[in-house]
Amino acid sequence: MKKLFYPLIILGLLMPFANAQKPITFNDDSQVFGNVDFPGIWVSIPEANAEVVMKNWEKTIQKGTKSKVSVNGMDASLFGALIKNVYDGPVNIESRIRNQDSLVLLFAGVELRRGEFAEKGTHEYDRLKAYLKDFAKSEYLKVAEDQLAAEEKKLKEMEKELSKTRKGKAKMEKTVQSSNNTIAAENDKISSLRKQLSVTDEQIDHISSRLSETQDAEAKKSWQSEMKTAQKKKKSQLKAINSSENKIAKAKDRIRDTKNTIDLNLGSQDQMSVRINEQKMIVSQYQNKVRTIQGY
């Protein structure tokens, strides 16, 4: 029980810090681009990568227009952008990205017409905020989905390893069964050989008696030939018995070693099962994280 209990305590302490979803936040501000002070909005994108966010932001604001995004470091400008979610006509967008701890901050300001901006209190400001929220949510969701995919891959690899270990145990159990069958077969063979050996010994005793009684040279020669044949037969039977006994000894050693390995295998299975249950909990946390972000 302790073997399962302690890892779960550690897991319970670490998981809230490791993978809990964080909120997407907004902050009104203004940033200077060139000699123009752009009012706009900062949006936070938790756990994101600044370079990836910049690349995807460029694609997002450039979509639907022939204008090209101008990038200077972590600033991106687009003149004549067509973003109907913000404004029905072409607009100028100035944006800036910053890294901050475990999140990326994206600032965006929109110039509707020369000197006229999407400022707080305007319909365009609300639409810009919603536009930034959708973008931030999409970026954060990609991060969480990648995290989930990575944890699901770990779980799949663990389950695959457990399956492989179980197959190994099944294979070893077949080895034990095969060895037991060998022992049974060889014991039957030894029993049969000992009966044959008993008969051969009786034959040798009989031939030995006849040899001691026979005086005729030709008859004696014939009994000597039969004795040689019987002794050869006995030697072959003893050799066969010895071979079977060696096979039994090897089979018993194989069973002992295999059973020891099976015990180790079962211990590994127990450890893997604990790790798999822990990993399933981690996967569940990331699944919840993805669902929560989807609901933003």
Side-chain angles (χ1 to χ4, degrees):
M1 182 65 185
K2 289 182 179 178
K3 182 169 59 177
L4 175 63
F5 184 65
Y6 292 133
L8 292 181
I9 290 179
I10 295 171
L11 189 66
L13 292 173
L14 293 179
M15 285 176 68
F17 300 99
N19 57 25
Q21 70 282 349
K22 300 173 180 63
I24 293 173
T25 61
F26 300 90
N27 186 37
D28 300 324
D29 195 9
S30 64
Q31 294 285 301
V32 176
F33 294 89
N35 57 1
V36 180
D37 190 14
F38 266 72
I41 305 169
W42 285 102
V43 62
S44 66
I45 308 173
E47 302 179 56
N49 176 276
E51 286 72 22
V52 173
V53 170
M54 174 62 84
K55 183 178 179 181
N56 292 334
W57 177 247
E58 289 177 46
K59 291 179 181 179
T60 299
I61 60 176
Q62 191 171 293
K63 187 177 181 180
T65 179
K66 294 181 180 180
S67 303
K68 296 294 182 182
V69 177
S70 175
V71 178
N72 181 19
M74 298 305 285
D75 289 353
S77 305
L78 181 62
F79 300 100
L82 298 174
I83 307 175
K84 291 186 178 180
N85 288 349
V86 176
Y87 189 67
D88 292 335
V91 296
N92 300 329
I93 296 180
E94 293 286 1
S95 52
R96 179 165 289 154
I97 288 177
R98 288 179 183 168
N99 265 318
Q100 188 179 89
D101 297 329
S102 61
L103 53 80
V104 171
L105 294 173
L106 167 64
F107 174 87
V110 172
E111 186 178 32
L112 307 174
R113 289 175 288 275
R114 188 173 182 83
E116 184 179 341
F117 302 93
E119 298 184 79
K120 189 171 184 178
T122 66
H123 181 57
E124 289 77 16
Y125 169 90
D126 295 334
R127 295 174 71 177
L128 173 60
K129 187 173 183 179
Y131 183 73
L132 288 172
K133 179 182 178 181
D134 288 342
F135 176 77
K137 175 182 173 180
S138 174
E139 293 299 297
Y140 191 16
L141 189 58
K142 288 175 189 174
V143 171
E145 287 173 340
D146 287 345
Q147 291 171 340
L148 173 59
E151 296 302 330
E152 286 176 332
K153 183 180 179 182
K154 289 180 187 177
L155 176 59
K156 188 175 180 180
E157 289 173 350
M158 288 179 182
E159 290 174 334
K160 185 178 179 180
E161 184 63 24
L162 177 58
S163 175
K164 183 179 177 182
T165 304
R166 285 173 174 167
K167 287 179 181 178
K169 174 177 173 287
K171 187 176 180 180
M172 287 186 284
E173 286 173 339
K174 288 182 180 179
T175 297
V176 170
Q177 183 60 50
S178 175
S179 297
N180 280 323
N181 292 340
T182 296
I183 291 171
E186 294 303 322
N187 276 325
D188 288 343
K189 189 181 293 186
I190 288 172
S191 179
S192 176
L193 285 166
R194 290 195 185 283
K195 289 178 182 179
Q196 295 173 32
L197 182 61
S198 178
V199 172
T200 302
D201 282 337
E202 289 177 0
Q203 289 176 342
I204 290 173
D205 288 343
H206 174 71
I207 293 169
S208 180
S209 296
R210 296 305 300 267
L211 272 171
S212 64
E213 296 170 356
T214 303
Q215 300 299 321
D216 182 74
E218 285 299 322
K220 200 173 190 71
K221 187 177 180 181
S222 176
W223 284 115
Q224 286 173 340
S225 177
E226 285 194 35
M227 175 65 82
K228 187 176 181 180
T229 300
Q231 287 175 334
K232 185 178 180 180
K233 185 178 182 180
K234 179 178 180 177
K235 183 178 180 180
S236 176
Q237 289 168 341
L238 288 171
K239 185 178 179 180
I241 289 172
N242 184 63
S243 175
S244 291
E245 287 175 340
N246 286 336
K247 288 180 180 178
I248 288 172
K250 289 180 180 178
K252 286 181 177 178
D253 287 343
R254 188 161 54 248
I255 288 171
R256 184 190 64 247
D257 293 342
T258 303
K259 284 186 174 180
N260 288 337
T261 306
I262 287 174
D263 289 340
L264 293 174
N265 180 289
L266 289 171
S268 295
Q269 285 191 46
D270 288 342
Q271 292 175 4
M272 287 181 192
S273 295
V274 171
R275 288 170 52 217
I276 285 172
N277 287 332
E278 291 173 353
Q279 187 62 23
K280 283 180 178 179
M281 292 175 65
I282 292 173
V283 168
S284 178
Q285 289 287 330
Y286 278 103
Q287 288 172 338
N288 290 335
K289 180 176 182 176
V290 168
R291 283 193 290 269
T292 300
I293 295 170
Q294 287 172 337
Y296 279 175

